[in-house]
Amino acid sequence: MDSVLALGGAHLCYTMEGADMKSASSTHYTLAVRQLKHELTRVNSGEESDPVRLLLTILLLSTTESISANSQGVIFHHLRASSHFIPSLLALDPNHGDQEIRAFLIETYAYMVSVANITVNTQPTYPALILDPCITGLERFQDCKASGMMFGYARNLLTLLPSICMLGYNRTLEENAGKYSFENIAWYKALQFKIESWQEPSTSEDSGNDIKDLVVASKVYKEAILIFLHTAFYGSKVGDPELLSLIDTSLSKTSSFFGFGTDSPVLSVMLWPCMIIGSCLRESVARQYLRGKMLETRFNMTLVLRSVQLLDWLWEDNALDAYGPYGLGIVMRKHGIMHSMS
């Protein structure tokens, strides 16, 4: 309950100014962390505990940090803590508790880990978040009503993001050493093939608007993830003509994809692709159009404002490497922040 109240307070702090609201929200957050620490101490001492309840609490705290736009990377600590409970949930008997809750929690964790980063060079320990059993474990819950609540139709695309982050991290090490390895080139090409060969699901003409929006959203994710892959592989060579050509090809396919209504539920998961695509826009008109779309959403929270601010900083920066996801990392370091999209 303290986690729920902390989350509600984080939302209210956006619309209700005043020290009282911030203090109340912080108090519930502190109480939740204190109680969670007590529970984890019991678990470490060998006592039995409910991993569903613990994971739910940590993910509520993660979401609180996310919508509050904590700039110091606190959410990464919560997500690493969450990863320890995923194997326990997957090992539970299918008849233990509510399958729908387990399906939702595991998919929520997988989604938050997948979109945690908008750059591969701000969090050197990011690979510690990757948990392959979690990704494969999603298959067993595909018949649950909660399946797809976070991923929509783009699950097979989104679950590639942790691997892309690892590739980008490896390429950063290689770039510093002045070399390319055959293994990473092959990894890059294999990931590119998986993304480019992905096909959106077929829908009928009488499909509702929500279904159509989910299909369009998955197409946006496809191009944004391709951009993320290319920029991860090229690293600091943001001005490479070949890279710019690859990015422009993807950008041209997304220009007509942002016609969602302001009330469309799918907008709740579109912030990550907006940041990736926005970081690569070079024309002022396109930048302002995307900026307006991000600000007009009904999902009013600090995270959206901070994300727009980060894009503004990037667009205003005259440094040669201030472009794309790599540039987002540069700008974050300049301003001393660690911005997460989870």
Side-chain angles (χ1 to χ4, degrees):
M1 180 55 68
D2 280 310
S3 299
V4 172
L5 291 172
L7 177 59
H11 273 293
L12 288 174
C13 283
Y14 179 86
T15 55
M16 298 176 63
E17 296 183 1
D20 290 345
M21 181 59 66
K22 292 182 179 179
S23 176
S25 181
S26 297
T27 296
H28 286 296
Y29 185 96
T30 301
L31 288 171
V33 172
R34 186 180 302 165
Q35 294 168 78
L36 183 60
K37 181 180 178 181
H38 176 71
E39 285 289 310
L40 294 178
T41 301
R42 292 178 58 248
V43 172
N44 287 336
S45 65
E47 294 186 37
E48 289 190 11
S49 186
D50 184 0
V52 175
R53 185 167 61 93
L54 291 173
L55 180 61
L56 174 57
T57 301
I58 299 174
L59 289 180
L60 282 168
L61 294 175
S62 300
T63 306
T64 300
E65 293 291 356
S66 176
I67 66 173
S68 300
N70 178 279
S71 62
Q72 302 306 312
V74 174
I75 191 171
F76 288 98
H77 299 296
H78 286 320
L79 290 177
R80 289 195 190 95
S82 299
S83 69
H84 293 285
F85 295 100
I86 298 299
S88 299
L89 259 69
L90 293 174
L92 288 175
D93 185 277
N95 297 320
H96 176 89
D98 192 330
Q99 279 280 88
E100 294 292 340
I101 293 177
R102 290 166 59 193
F104 177 72
L105 290 179
I106 292 174
E107 183 167 329
T108 298
Y109 166 78
Y111 174 80
M112 295 181 79
V113 169
S114 298
V115 302
N117 271 1
I118 47 176
T119 180
V120 298
N121 61 352
T122 60
Q123 184 71 14
T125 55
Y126 179 77
L129 287 176
I130 297 172
L131 189 65
D132 288 338
C134 170
I135 303 303
T136 57
L138 290 172
E139 296 290 341
R140 76 175 67 176
F141 299 106
Q142 61 184 0
D143 293 330
C144 291
K145 294 179 181 178
S147 179
M149 290 290 288
M150 301 301 297
F151 284 122
Y153 295 133
R155 187 187 69 183
N156 292 338
L157 292 171
L158 280 160
T159 52
L160 295 176
L161 285 175
S163 294
I164 295 174
C165 283
M166 282 200 71
L167 171 64
Y169 180 62
N170 290 345
R171 283 291 303 123
T172 298
L173 297 178
E174 286 187 344
E175 189 174 25
N176 292 337
K179 63 179 183 180
Y180 281 85
S181 71
F182 173 77
E183 290 79 9
N184 283 329
I185 295 175
W187 192 4
Y188 166 62
K189 292 297 182 182
L191 287 169
Q192 182 179 2
F193 176 78
K194 285 183 179 180
I195 299 169
E196 291 180 338
S197 60
W198 177 88
Q199 296 291 326
E200 69 273 12
S202 58
T203 57
S204 60
E205 292 185 2
D206 58 350
S207 296
N209 288 333
D210 287 350
I211 297 298
K212 293 177 181 177
D213 282 354
L214 283 172
V215 173
V216 173
S218 64
K219 293 180 181 179
V220 175
Y221 264 102
K222 176 181 179 179
E223 301 307 325
I225 292 172
L226 259 182
I227 291 172
F228 195 60
L229 171 66
H230 296 319
T231 55
F233 182 76
Y234 279 82
S236 65
K237 298 178 181 179
V238 296
D240 189 302
E242 185 174 341
L243 172 63
L244 295 177
S245 177
L246 290 169
I247 291 175
D248 287 343
T249 297
S250 286
L251 290 178
S252 67
K253 295 178 181 179
T254 65
S255 59
S256 61
F257 282 169
F258 288 94
F260 303 113
T262 55
D263 292 331
S264 175
V266 80
L267 290 175
S268 63
V269 293
M270 294 304 292
L271 191 56
W272 186 89
C274 283
M275 292 298 291
I276 300 302
I277 291 169
S279 71
C280 296
L281 296 177
R282 299 196 291 274
E283 296 181 1
S284 178
V285 173
R287 290 174 174 178
Q288 292 308 309
Y289 175 78
L290 179 61
R291 190 180 191 279
K293 282 291 183 181
M294 292 173 70
L295 291 175
E296 74 178 14
T297 175
R298 66 185 175 92
F299 299 102
N300 297 320
M301 57 187 72
T302 308
L303 175 62
V304 177
L305 291 181
R306 295 282 175 81
S307 298
V308 171
Q309 175 67 81
L310 182 56
L311 283 178
D312 286 340
W313 284 338
L314 177 68
W315 294 336
E316 294 165 1
D317 198 306
N318 294 321
L320 295 178
D321 55 1
Y323 174 77
Y326 184 89
L328 289 173
I330 298 295
V331 171
M332 279 190 271
R333 284 201 294 273
K334 285 182 179 179
H335 291 271
I337 66 171
M338 188 179 294
H339 193 68
S340 172
M341 288 288 99
S342 293

